[in-house]
Amino acid sequence: WPKKPLLMPSVSFPLARGDRVLSEKEQISALKKISSLLAAGIPAVKAMEFSGFPEEAVSRVVRGSSLSEAIETFFSRQAVSFIRIGEAGGDLASAAAAAFESLSSSREQKRALTKALSYPMFIFLFSFACILFFAWYIVPQLRSVFISMDIEPSAALAFIETFASFSAGFLIISGVFLVFAKLFAGNT
């Protein structure tokens, strides 16, 4: 029985087709794998296949493109810059490892910032909702109680009503602004 050569199937990311930039998580995973494989002496094309690089990027390298040119439609500019520096310096493994470290660090910083801001944002939104509830629901009832008792409402009540009118206008204008910003951001 003749033995067939064992070929490793490409483990490309399933959504990495066309000119879509890989997600940050996919980029980090691929860069971590390729840096280890390149450091172990695996040729770049095989390392790309084993690391899950998009098939289009692998075929570009096979056709003679540099690694940085092959991945620029799939990876962030930052990752491509690291790879380009590695190509110029002749050490792709270290460049891929540095790109992995940089993207990982950036991702962790974003995650930490989101985590740090989530509680204060919740408190702010909850407080604002309470104020709006008070201004739009409780204050009108208080005004009707004052009027039914034939008492002139206090200045504080008038201030709260003014605040309620202002906040309603602010919310409407902010909403309209966000809608237009989304519409025009999609057209540029």
Side-chain angles (χ1 to χ4, degrees):
W1 296 354
K3 290 189 175 184
K4 293 182 182 178
L6 182 62
L7 297 175
M8 179 69 167
S10 178
V11 289
S12 294
F13 296 107
L15 298 177
R17 306 289 186 256
D19 288 339
R20 187 186 76 75
V21 175
L22 297 174
S23 72
E24 192 175 43
K25 185 178 180 180
E26 291 170 329
Q27 290 181 43
I28 290 169
S29 173
L31 288 169
K32 181 178 182 181
K33 291 174 187 174
I34 198 169
S35 67
S36 299
L37 292 170
L38 290 172
I42 306 292
V45 173
K46 286 295 179 194
M48 288 175 72
E49 290 174 351
F50 295 154
S51 299
F53 275 62
E55 292 172 9
E56 177 63 27
V58 175
S59 66
R60 287 179 190 171
V61 172
V62 169
R63 288 191 307 256
S65 294
S66 68
L67 180 59
S68 62
E69 291 171 347
I71 67 169
E72 64 188 355
T73 56
F74 302 103
F75 282 77
S76 67
R77 281 190 240 156
Q78 181 182 12
V80 172
S81 296
F82 274 103
I83 298 300
R84 192 167 284 134
I85 290 168
E87 289 170 340
D91 191 3
L92 278 176
S94 295
F100 160 72
E101 289 294 328
S102 178
L103 290 179
S104 295
S105 174
S106 175
R107 182 181 170 117
E108 285 303 315
Q109 287 174 352
K110 288 177 192 173
R111 188 177 295 155
L113 182 63
T114 301
K115 190 175 181 180
L117 291 177
S118 62
Y119 182 70
M121 184 57 79
F122 171 76
I123 295 298
F124 172 76
L125 291 175
F126 182 75
S127 300
F128 193 70
C130 289
I131 290 169
L132 290 179
F133 173 75
F134 183 77
W136 288 346
Y137 184 74
I138 303 294
V139 170
Q141 289 184 359
L142 286 175
R143 177 171 270 297
S144 66
V145 168
F146 277 109
I147 291 172
S148 70
M149 294 173 51
D150 205 21
I151 300 174
E152 184 65 31
S154 67
L157 192 60
F159 173 77
I160 293 172
E161 287 178 325
T162 304
F163 172 77
S165 298
F166 171 76
S167 61
F170 177 76
L171 289 175
I172 291 169
I173 290 171
S174 298
V176 169
F177 176 77
L178 289 174
V179 167
F180 278 112
K182 284 285 190 187
L183 289 174
F184 289 118
N187 293 335
T188 58

